[in-house]
Amino acid sequence: MKTVSDPGGEIEFVATEDSITASLSHLREAPIWRGSVDVYSAGMIEGWIAKANNFLASVEIDIVMFGEVIGTTASHISRPDIAQIISFPATFGYKFNISTVADDVAAALRSRLKARMGKSVTVGDALEVRVSGTKLNLPMSPALRATLIDVESLAQDLARNALGTFQNEFISLRDQYLNATTFSDGQVSDVKVLANYLPQFHPFAENNDWWGEGFTEWTNVVVAKPLMKGHYQPRLPADLGFYDLRLDAAHEAQIDMAKTYGLSGFIYYFYWFSGKLLMNMPVDRHLDKNYDLNFCLCWANESWSRRWDGSESTVLMAQRHTEADDDLFIQSCLKYFKSERYIKINGAPLLQVYRISLLANPKATIARWRKVVKEAGFPDLHVTICETFGLENPQEFGCDSSSQFPPHGISAVERNAGLSDLIPGFTGKIYDYAEVVQNEISRPRTPHVQFRAAMPSWDNTSRRGLAGNFFHGATPELFQTWLSHLVRHARANLPESHRFVLINAWNEWAEGAHLEPDRLNGRKNLDAVRNALAPESNALAPLQGPLDGSNDDEMAGTRRYVEGLLNSNLQMSKIFEASYSATRPPKGGFISLPSDLYELRNAPSDWAVYLDDLQGMALESIKIATADREGALSCGGWIKTGRQSMDRSLPVFVTLSAPGSGLSGNRFGGIVSDRVNRIDVVQLLSLDKEESWCGFRIDLNLSKVLPGVYDLEFIVADASSLSRGYIVASEVRVVIG
């Protein structure tokens, strides 16, 4: 039996099997609106509401504080207790969080609360829940009406809400500064971004014969169609339009755009077939006009077929790899190598080979090439193999390095299964772009020199129709995350002379891989390149002028804001990348922390961690805890950080490290996302109120932690410079079995 008082005081519902019908009948005889306010806690309001003559109707209610409507919600939450009483399975419950109100409302409420600081304010004094469009307020129990509101905590919640909007405005300001920033002639990055360049955007005789008069790459692009809901097709150009590369102006606009956004060069596909050149007009023009952008060649050394995937069926232009042909090829490259714009590594021209394994005897061929190039006056030739068709190891072929060539060589699972809205007859494969970013970020370093590469997206259905493949969910933001990681990887792992990061591609429109602006994303993929490369100082450049005395404080404050945002953006990017790691266990788990996450330091002596519980046990004198790798590490407590504020947005990690491993030791860690407002600690220790978010609660999966004994520690970001983090040790060791 369960008894609930009717909020109008007229009916008592007694939920027994014998009385359900009678109760329902009485309810319908009562006034039409029935409900109550059941809970007010930490700004959360909960209760239930029903329309007696239509239980299925969602009832809209207004939340009123101090006489003003601050928000509206409706019954949309399951309340099994009410449903059981009236024997009707509807959603009668509602919830409303005051801290989520609109910014102007939050500001007005804070003003009202400020006048009530230090005074006793009850729920009954402050709150009304009213049926929208009526004057009917839902009742609440006498005990709830008399409950005191923590005015200071509510004001803090509202202030954080306003701060969130404030920070969003600063983020917008940051983006304005970044978007106004371009790479001028005097600005260069230590990492050079090179993009593959397809020269097939002009008619030529062979294409006319093979594909029809006037055929260019645009012919395939414009006829593409979406094959499922959310499939981005057709991809149509924006700023540069449907350009024709026979026009100098079209090529020059591409080069100007590439330079503006920080690219260092184009990698021109070089279609050389036993002395026959196709589509060489753009690279020859680049050479002849000495355009102010570096370039190099990628020999597309496979036969050209009617299919676009490198197969040898229906060959249109055969590629012969005889010794004489291959020697003739390197001779044809020399005029390009001699250009001051040609990309070189310590004086050695950089040459990509798309399918090195097709050479008759790769090692012998490369050795002959080196001899020819040295005789032409160069110190050597740097040959990089494209990681295509399973090729990975350059030493196997006598080459110097390898170049990633996505989507070749990437790891992703086909996602076709379960997609019910695919067009009938589709036989291609669909992959998840975000999964690719996951896996590429966590890819281990190779023992040889490897030039990493990213693709802004990839989709060849415009060429292959229902048999095409595409990577769903590509966004400029994910592309920037991937590219930013590759830029940092190049800085950490490649000599300054050849810190190259590659992009597939500048203009592969029929493969959905292009940096050139389109009608959906505009220049956002170019923005991603610039943002991945640009030092923080670029965004601050507009703020570095001399102060005139009238607005010194304002300008200095703006500088600090932008600097802080840039640091936060960098740190959040790292955290985002860590969260995208393929080594990450299921949500809420420990991962192997990136070694460059922070510049780690030992915390000052007055910093400390205090644990309230560990593995479900209250901590008194417990110094050792055990945990199963199949389970989780669960604990709660708070962190004391001296004078540093523990703002809720400050990054905090929990880590497990080998005893005595020091600052440089390997660590498993997880983000402390569940921060707790510890007013009790503030009051007990007479701390500043800014310290109230020093509390935490964690419950993290241990499946990726190796068995062993670990010190339980925390990393707290330095609020003044988010590139640093402080290790705060607990007195507990955890044995993982």
Side-chain angles (χ1 to χ4, degrees), residues 34 40 52 100 152 225 418 421 465 474 501 515 630 654 688 699:
R34 320 302 292 161
Y40 177 93
T100 63
E152 294 185 2
K225 291 179 172 58
D421 56 352
V501 170
L515 291 176
E630 300 301 318
V654 58
D688 293 333
D699 190 16

Side-chain angles (χ1 to χ4, degrees), residues 196-197 267 269 298 300 352-354 385-389 391 402-410 440 443 450-455 458 482 502-505 508 511:
N196 294 89
Y197 184 102
I267 304 173
Y269 290 120
C298 174
Q352 272 193 351
V353 181
Y354 182 65
I385 69 169
C386 292
E387 295 182 11
T388 57
F389 303 96
L391 303 176
S402 69
S403 298
Q404 284 191 299
F405 204 92
H408 285 276
I410 64 175
E440 286 303 302
R443 181 185 288 270
Q450 180 192 49
F451 302 131
R452 298 290 301 274
M455 58 185 187
W458 205 86
W482 185 357
L502 314 182
I503 295 176
N504 186 26
E508 279 279 12
E511 290 185 346

